[in-house]
Amino acid sequence: MNLSEDVIFEILTRLPVTSLIRFKCVCKFWYSLIKNPNFISKHLHNLNNKQNHLHLLISRRGNITNKRILSLSQNDTFDVFINQDFPEYFNDKFGHIRLIGPCNGIVCLCGYPDNIVLWNPSIRDYKILPQSQIQRLVGSTIRGSDFGLGFDSKKNDYKVIQILFCLSIDRVFVYQVEIYSLNTNSWRKYKGVVPSKIKYGNTSWSMVYKNEIFCWLGQDVDNHEVILSFNMSEEIFQNIKLPSNIEIFGVQEIMRSVWVIVPFKESISLIVYCLKEVEKYYDIWVINNELGVENCWTKLQRIGPISRVERPLGLWKNGELILENSSGQLVIYDPSNQEMQTLGFYGKRGRLEIVVYKESLVSIS
């Protein structure tokens, strides 16, 4: 039985990326079809509407070698993880690798300022971004940086945001924001205002929201905790209020609450917990409306108590909490049955990072 080209198109757009990579070898027609931008867009749309085809991307630093290791799960049951191979560029230019994203299957790997790579682990495609040639603030010293990644749907363009924390000659911290466009393969300086300070130094304080908006946890001018968002199409920063009725776990500084934002089911989740508690509770909040809408937050649940755990790193597809335990090991806790699963990954304490990843055929090279 011969199938029409339209039927073949529809069938193939519903298959996982690993299968499609193999099927490119079937014939010239299938090869050209799978490489076609319209096919890639339809395939991406189909996968984005499903909660399966999820993977876990893990970044850790080995205790013995101190080498940065990135591993990707081959399914959603964590049976098999494959270490990812990288060119020598990463070892030469990158100290600590940050995972930013994902956005339509693309992950941004960030090291020191101006050392940035876009990477699609599904198809093993990567692009080393050119260093920014933008003039930096005269007399200033760059004391740190943060990054964002997103998709501009109006221009069909992927963008990277580099925010430099510059200490001026007057000993005042100033942000310099630079925007990279994949379409033009170039950087330009952002001339707008950043309305909040970014909470710098924690790997769970930023995330991509609906592919087009990047979010950081920040503090506004009144020192209130907010979500600082940047819309890639409009190129506008905006402050988003956090829930007004968050329960504070401790009143003393040593028992203070910590707030973390992570993605969950195409939305933003806020995790609140007490840093110093031996047995920890985690309050999970989610946004149930568009960003900025009044009363957009809903408290989903309180998870705990859980012993011998430290930082929350993310949420899995059914609300399971991904954590680093007190031994520096990656674990996943299922609140429905109160069971803890050990994933078998150790790293230097405080250096574990994870990304809940959806595969795609989107090329960036």
Side-chain angles (χ1 to χ4, degrees), residues 46-75:
N46 288 342
L47 288 187
N48 281 341
N49 289 333
K50 299 178 181 178
Q51 277 300 306
N52 52 3
H53 298 297
L54 289 181
H55 304 262
L56 194 62
L57 179 62
I58 302 170
S59 174
R60 69 194 189 279
R61 192 179 287 279
N63 280 326
I64 298 176
T65 63
N66 202 35
K67 181 181 177 181
R68 174 60 57 177
I69 304 169
L70 290 151
S71 304
L72 182 66
S73 69
Q74 296 305 289
N75 51 43

Short mmCIF file of all heavy atoms in Angstrom, two decimals, residues 46-75:
data_model
loop_
_atom_site.label_atom_id
_atom_site.label_comp_id
_atom_site.label_asym_id
_atom_site.label_seq_id
_atom_site.Cartn_x
_atom_site.Cartn_y
_atom_site.Cartn_z
N ASN A 46 3.53 19.71 17.46
CA ASN A 46 2.96 18.46 17.97
C ASN A 46 3.58 18.05 19.31
O ASN A 46 2.88 17.63 20.23
CB ASN A 46 3.14 17.34 16.95
CG ASN A 46 2.24 17.49 15.74
OD1 ASN A 46 1.24 18.23 15.78
ND2 ASN A 46 2.57 16.81 14.65
N LEU A 47 4.90 18.18 19.40
CA LEU A 47 5.58 17.78 20.64
C LEU A 47 5.26 18.73 21.79
O LEU A 47 5.15 18.31 22.94
CB LEU A 47 7.09 17.72 20.43
CG LEU A 47 7.61 16.55 19.59
CD1 LEU A 47 9.13 16.53 19.62
CD2 LEU A 47 7.07 15.21 20.07
N ASN A 48 5.11 20.03 21.49
CA ASN A 48 4.83 21.00 22.54
C ASN A 48 3.45 20.80 23.17
O ASN A 48 3.19 21.26 24.28
CB ASN A 48 4.94 22.43 22.00
CG ASN A 48 6.38 22.89 21.90
OD1 ASN A 48 7.27 22.33 22.53
ND2 ASN A 48 6.63 23.90 21.09
N ASN A 49 2.56 20.11 22.46
CA ASN A 49 1.23 19.85 22.98
C ASN A 49 1.15 18.56 23.79
O ASN A 49 0.07 18.16 24.21
CB ASN A 49 0.21 19.79 21.84
CG ASN A 49 -0.03 21.16 21.23
OD1 ASN A 49 0.12 22.18 21.89
ND2 ASN A 49 -0.40 21.20 19.95
N LYS A 50 2.29 17.91 24.00
CA LYS A 50 2.31 16.66 24.74
C LYS A 50 3.21 16.79 25.96
O LYS A 50 4.18 17.54 25.96
CB LYS A 50 2.82 15.51 23.86
CG LYS A 50 1.98 15.24 22.62
CD LYS A 50 2.61 14.14 21.79
CE LYS A 50 1.79 13.86 20.53
NZ LYS A 50 2.42 12.81 19.69
N GLN A 51 2.89 16.03 27.02
CA GLN A 51 3.75 16.00 28.20
C GLN A 51 4.69 14.80 28.18
O GLN A 51 5.52 14.65 29.06
CB GLN A 51 2.89 15.94 29.48
CG GLN A 51 2.40 17.30 29.94
CD GLN A 51 3.51 18.28 30.26
OE1 GLN A 51 4.41 18.00 31.05
NE2 GLN A 51 3.48 19.44 29.62
N ASN A 52 4.55 13.93 27.17
CA ASN A 52 5.55 12.87 27.04
C ASN A 52 6.72 13.40 26.21
O ASN A 52 6.78 14.58 25.88
CB ASN A 52 4.95 11.61 26.41
CG ASN A 52 4.22 11.89 25.12
OD1 ASN A 52 4.19 13.01 24.64
ND2 ASN A 52 3.61 10.87 24.55
N HIS A 53 7.62 12.57 25.87
CA HIS A 53 8.85 12.96 25.19
C HIS A 53 9.66 13.95 26.03
O HIS A 53 10.39 14.79 25.49
CB HIS A 53 8.57 13.56 23.81
CG HIS A 53 7.90 12.61 22.85
ND1 HIS A 53 8.49 11.44 22.41
CD2 HIS A 53 6.68 12.64 22.28
CE1 HIS A 53 7.67 10.80 21.59
NE2 HIS A 53 6.55 11.50 21.52
N LEU A 54 9.52 13.88 27.35
CA LEU A 54 10.34 14.71 28.23
C LEU A 54 11.62 13.98 28.59
O LEU A 54 11.65 12.76 28.72
CB LEU A 54 9.57 15.05 29.51
CG LEU A 54 8.40 16.03 29.41
CD1 LEU A 54 7.80 16.26 30.79
CD2 LEU A 54 8.84 17.35 28.81
N HIS A 55 12.67 14.77 28.75
CA HIS A 55 13.97 14.22 29.14
C HIS A 55 14.52 15.08 30.27
O HIS A 55 14.09 16.22 30.48
CB HIS A 55 14.94 14.23 27.96
CG HIS A 55 14.44 13.50 26.76
ND1 HIS A 55 14.80 12.20 26.47
CD2 HIS A 55 13.59 13.87 25.76
CE1 HIS A 55 14.20 11.81 25.36
NE2 HIS A 55 13.46 12.81 24.91
N LEU A 56 15.51 14.54 30.95
CA LEU A 56 16.18 15.29 32.02
C LEU A 56 17.63 15.50 31.61
O LEU A 56 18.36 14.54 31.36
CB LEU A 56 16.11 14.51 33.34
CG LEU A 56 16.47 15.31 34.60
CD1 LEU A 56 15.50 16.47 34.81
CD2 LEU A 56 16.46 14.40 35.83
N LEU A 57 18.01 16.77 31.51
CA LEU A 57 19.39 17.14 31.20
C LEU A 57 20.07 17.55 32.50
O LEU A 57 19.58 18.44 33.20
CB LEU A 57 19.42 18.28 30.19
CG LEU A 57 20.79 18.80 29.76
CD1 LEU A 57 21.60 17.72 29.06
CD2 LEU A 57 20.64 20.02 28.85
N ILE A 58 21.18 16.91 32.83
CA ILE A 58 21.86 17.10 34.11
C ILE A 58 23.26 17.64 33.87
O ILE A 58 24.01 17.11 33.05
CB ILE A 58 21.94 15.77 34.90
CG1 ILE A 58 20.54 15.21 35.14
CG2 ILE A 58 22.67 15.97 36.22
CD1 ILE A 58 20.55 13.79 35.69
N SER A 59 23.61 18.68 34.58
CA SER A 59 24.96 19.22 34.57
C SER A 59 25.56 19.07 35.96
O SER A 59 24.93 19.43 36.96
CB SER A 59 24.95 20.71 34.16
OG SER A 59 26.24 21.27 34.27
N ARG A 60 26.75 18.52 36.04
CA ARG A 60 27.40 18.32 37.33
C ARG A 60 28.90 18.42 37.15
O ARG A 60 29.41 18.33 36.03
CB ARG A 60 27.01 16.96 37.92
CG ARG A 60 27.58 15.78 37.16
CD ARG A 60 26.89 14.47 37.56
NE ARG A 60 27.56 13.29 37.01
CZ ARG A 60 27.39 12.85 35.79
NH1 ARG A 60 26.62 13.49 34.94
NH2 ARG A 60 28.02 11.76 35.37
N ARG A 61 29.58 18.59 38.26
CA ARG A 61 31.04 18.62 38.24
C ARG A 61 31.55 17.44 39.06
O ARG A 61 31.17 17.26 40.21
CB ARG A 61 31.56 19.93 38.81
CG ARG A 61 33.04 20.16 38.56
CD ARG A 61 33.49 21.49 39.14
NE ARG A 61 33.00 22.62 38.37
CZ ARG A 61 33.57 23.06 37.25
NH1 ARG A 61 34.62 22.43 36.75
NH2 ARG A 61 33.09 24.10 36.63
N GLY A 62 32.38 16.60 38.44
CA GLY A 62 32.86 15.39 39.08
C GLY A 62 33.69 15.68 40.32
O GLY A 62 34.50 16.61 40.33
N ASN A 63 33.51 14.87 41.36
CA ASN A 63 34.25 15.07 42.60
C ASN A 63 35.75 14.81 42.43
O ASN A 63 36.58 15.45 43.08
CB ASN A 63 33.69 14.16 43.69
CG ASN A 63 32.43 14.71 44.32
OD1 ASN A 63 32.28 15.91 44.46
ND2 ASN A 63 31.50 13.83 44.67
N ILE A 64 36.10 13.87 41.59
CA ILE A 64 37.51 13.48 41.43
C ILE A 64 38.19 14.33 40.37
O ILE A 64 39.23 14.94 40.61
CB ILE A 64 37.61 11.98 41.09
CG1 ILE A 64 37.03 11.14 42.24
CG2 ILE A 64 39.07 11.59 40.85
CD1 ILE A 64 37.00 9.66 41.96
N THR A 65 37.60 14.39 39.17
CA THR A 65 38.24 15.09 38.06
C THR A 65 37.94 16.59 38.04
O THR A 65 38.65 17.35 37.39
CB THR A 65 37.77 14.49 36.72
OG1 THR A 65 36.35 14.70 36.59
CG2 THR A 65 38.05 12.99 36.68
N ASN A 66 36.88 17.01 38.73
CA ASN A 66 36.39 18.39 38.71
C ASN A 66 35.94 18.81 37.31
O ASN A 66 35.73 19.99 37.02
CB ASN A 66 37.46 19.37 39.21
CG ASN A 66 36.85 20.67 39.70
OD1 ASN A 66 35.77 20.68 40.28
ND2 ASN A 66 37.53 21.78 39.47
N LYS A 67 35.76 17.84 36.41
CA LYS A 67 35.35 18.11 35.04
C LYS A 67 33.84 18.27 34.97
O LYS A 67 33.09 17.57 35.64
CB LYS A 67 35.79 16.95 34.13
CG LYS A 67 35.43 17.14 32.67
CD LYS A 67 35.87 15.93 31.86
CE LYS A 67 35.46 16.06 30.39
NZ LYS A 67 35.86 14.87 29.60
N ARG A 68 33.40 19.21 34.15
CA ARG A 68 31.98 19.42 33.95
C ARG A 68 31.43 18.30 33.06
O ARG A 68 31.96 18.03 31.98
CB ARG A 68 31.73 20.78 33.31
CG ARG A 68 30.30 21.08 32.92
CD ARG A 68 29.33 21.04 34.06
NE ARG A 68 29.65 21.94 35.15
CZ ARG A 68 28.90 22.12 36.22
NH1 ARG A 68 27.79 21.42 36.36
NH2 ARG A 68 29.27 22.95 37.18
N ILE A 69 30.36 17.64 33.52
CA ILE A 69 29.75 16.51 32.81
C ILE A 69 28.28 16.83 32.58
O ILE A 69 27.57 17.24 33.49
CB ILE A 69 29.88 15.20 33.61
CG1 ILE A 69 31.34 14.92 33.96
CG2 ILE A 69 29.29 14.04 32.83
CD1 ILE A 69 31.52 13.81 34.97
N LEU A 70 27.83 16.64 31.34
CA LEU A 70 26.43 16.83 30.98
C LEU A 70 25.85 15.49 30.52
O LEU A 70 26.43 14.82 29.66
CB LEU A 70 26.29 17.87 29.88
CG LEU A 70 26.61 19.30 30.31
CD1 LEU A 70 27.12 20.11 29.14
CD2 LEU A 70 25.38 19.97 30.89
N SER A 71 24.72 15.09 31.11
CA SER A 71 24.09 13.81 30.79
C SER A 71 22.63 14.04 30.45
O SER A 71 21.96 14.86 31.07
CB SER A 71 24.21 12.84 31.97
OG SER A 71 25.56 12.67 32.37
N LEU A 72 22.13 13.29 29.45
CA LEU A 72 20.75 13.43 29.00
C LEU A 72 20.04 12.09 29.11
O LEU A 72 20.54 11.07 28.62
CB LEU A 72 20.72 13.92 27.55
CG LEU A 72 19.34 14.17 26.93
CD1 LEU A 72 18.65 15.34 27.62
CD2 LEU A 72 19.46 14.45 25.43
N SER A 73 18.87 12.08 29.77
CA SER A 73 18.10 10.85 29.88
C SER A 73 17.52 10.49 28.51
O SER A 73 17.14 11.36 27.73
CB SER A 73 16.98 10.99 30.91
OG SER A 73 15.98 11.88 30.45
N GLN A 74 17.42 9.19 28.24
CA GLN A 74 16.89 8.73 26.96
C GLN A 74 15.38 8.51 27.00
O GLN A 74 14.77 8.23 25.97
CB GLN A 74 17.60 7.45 26.55
CG GLN A 74 19.09 7.65 26.30
CD GLN A 74 19.36 8.75 25.29
OE1 GLN A 74 19.10 8.59 24.10
NE2 GLN A 74 19.86 9.90 25.75
N ASN A 75 14.79 8.58 28.19
CA ASN A 75 13.34 8.43 28.32
C ASN A 75 12.90 9.16 29.58
O ASN A 75 13.70 9.81 30.25
CB ASN A 75 12.94 6.95 28.36
CG ASN A 75 13.75 6.17 29.40
OD1 ASN A 75 13.95 6.65 30.52
ND2 ASN A 75 14.20 4.99 29.04
#
